Amino acid sequence: MVRNIVRGGIAVLGSTGSIGTQALDVARALNMRVAALAAESNIALLEAQAREHSVPLVAVRDTRAADELAKRLRDTRTRVVPGEGGIRQAAVAPGAETVVVAVVGAAGILPTLDALEAGMRVALANKETLVCAGKLVMESARDHGADILPVDSEHSAIFQCLQGRAVAERLILTASGGPFRGMDAAALKSVTPEMALRHPNWNMGRKISIDSATMMNKGFEVIEAMHLFSMPLERIKVLVHPQSVVHSMVEYTDGAVIAQLGPADMRIPIQYALTYPERDPAPAGTLDLTAVGALTFEEPDEGTFPSLGIARRAAALGGTACAVLNGANDTAVRMFLENRISFDMIPALVGAALDKLPIEKNPSLQDIISAVDSASGFVERMCS
Ligand code: MG
């Protein structure tokens, strides 16, 4: 049976990154209209994307790159807008019903809030939004009757396992364990950025690959799940599952556990966020369980990988603690990638920031953004 599903357009913020390009793959396959794009500065790719999808509005954060792109696209109908303001314009572009927020860093928070205020559907791939400002963002979604659909594979899995069912007893997030699973603390001291960037199962951006290697990524995901699914921290469990086939699970009060399985391909959760509640043909291969053979699960090694525990501590503290966590981690990861600190210093610095910096209990958005900045500055000072 052929059906014609008429869907609204999408805006893709962070369109030149890993999630952004995959979101455009999905849009191409589903023949979805792309109403706006936004990116940092990669104008070669932005130009190609704007031409291919005949995009009316393109935002470029870097002002000079925006000028250059406007010149290159002079023969088209595409309008190019610069800076932070341009990105916020792209988030609520006319013709977009869903905005994919796949920008990296705290830069995702404001456009997400703009889109929620406009009552749009937000397909959220940016971690910082919920990690730093989860309470404000969820309140805004409720106040404006807007939906946040998770793009991250774990949260998409939980979202799918929760469809039409009663209140969950526990959420079980799976973690691949990253490239250093099984190593001891001594061996971790000498790992290099190149080693950390080689993820066994998922093809991801640089920052998130390091977060996956430290397991801070899983800590962030616990915080996001707490906000997205209104689940108390102590009822969110993490299990290491090296095959990355079970993307997460939900345990119900009667002991039944519902899991979502699939190939490790981000286009599947991206597509679900764009088509929910419908399901469209697979954007990637299908799962061959006989090829996988066995699925294994183990407790995370929190002694060797302390980041998960540090993230839980921040989540329990509340207020600006998770903004501090995020800001400190961001800067520590950047320093590791620049070969300025060793791998084991990442959690050490993040933990120190959490111990030393003041926590604002009931923060405004401005307090949250300041907390991210001061944690980042704290890590800089510790290393200089
Ligand atoms: Mg994930």
Side-chain angles (χ1 to χ4, degrees), residues 127 152-154 208 217-218 221:
K127 305 232 154 191
D152 208 350
S153 60
E154 293 80 358
I208 187 173
N217 182 52
K218 209 50 54 179
E221 289 179 357

Side-chain angles (χ1 to χ4, degrees), residues 86-322:
I87 294 179
R88 295 181 68 177
Q89 243 178 292
V92 294
E97 272 178 14
T98 301
V99 55
V100 180
V101 181
V103 294
V104 181
I109 299 174
L110 285 176
T112 299
L113 287 169
D114 291 339
L116 293 173
E117 273 164 37
M120 293 170 68
R121 175 186 284 192
V122 174
L124 189 60
N126 171 274
K127 305 232 154 191
E128 288 76 2
T129 300
L130 287 176
V131 170
C132 299
K135 197 161 168 274
L136 288 178
V137 168
M138 296 310 291
E139 276 167 11
S140 176
R142 268 192 297 275
D143 291 349
H144 298 92
D147 289 324
I148 300 176
L149 294 194
V151 165
D152 208 350
S153 60
E154 293 80 358
H155 304 94
S156 177
I158 289 169
F159 182 66
Q160 293 178 57
C161 295
L162 286 169
Q163 293 307 310
R165 293 189 179 84
V167 178
E169 191 63 24
R170 257 192 340 163
L171 307 181
I172 304 165
L173 286 168
T174 53
S176 70
F180 305 140
R181 183 177 63 92
M183 275 192 187
D184 61 20
L188 273 188
K189 281 186 197 297
S190 56
V191 299
T192 62
E194 291 67 38
M195 290 160 74
L197 289 170
R198 260 179 255 128
H199 195 277
N201 303 335
W202 294 94
N203 180 13
M204 308 180 291
R206 283 165 67 83
K207 160 71 167 53
I208 187 173
S209 293
I210 305 301
D211 287 341
S212 170
T214 61
M215 290 198 73
M216 181 57 88
N217 182 52
K218 209 50 54 179
F220 287 155
E221 289 179 357
V222 167
I223 298 167
E224 292 177 279
M226 176 180 88
H227 291 297
L228 270 173
F229 307 111
S230 311
M231 183 61 74
L233 195 58
E234 60 279 7
R235 283 161 58 189
I236 305 174
K237 185 174 173 54
V238 171
L239 276 185
V240 172
H241 166 51
Q243 297 81 23
S244 295
V245 168
V246 174
H247 298 315
S248 278
M249 300 175 257
V250 172
E251 185 182 313
Y252 287 93
T253 188
D254 60 356
V257 177
I258 312 283
Q260 189 262 343
L261 289 69
D265 191 308
M266 285 307 294
R267 287 173 296 180
I268 297 172
I270 292 168
Q271 176 167 302
Y272 190 66
L274 296 182
T275 62
Y276 171 82
E278 317 253 4
R279 285 188 186 272
D280 280 54
T286 49
L287 181 62
D288 178 2
L289 278 174
T290 60
V292 180
L295 302 177
T296 62
F297 300 90
E298 62 199 45
E299 294 288 343
D301 178 358
E302 295 203 31
T304 311
F305 299 93
S307 295
L308 193 53
I310 296 171
R312 282 189 184 276
R313 184 151 64 88
L317 283 168
T320 49
C322 292

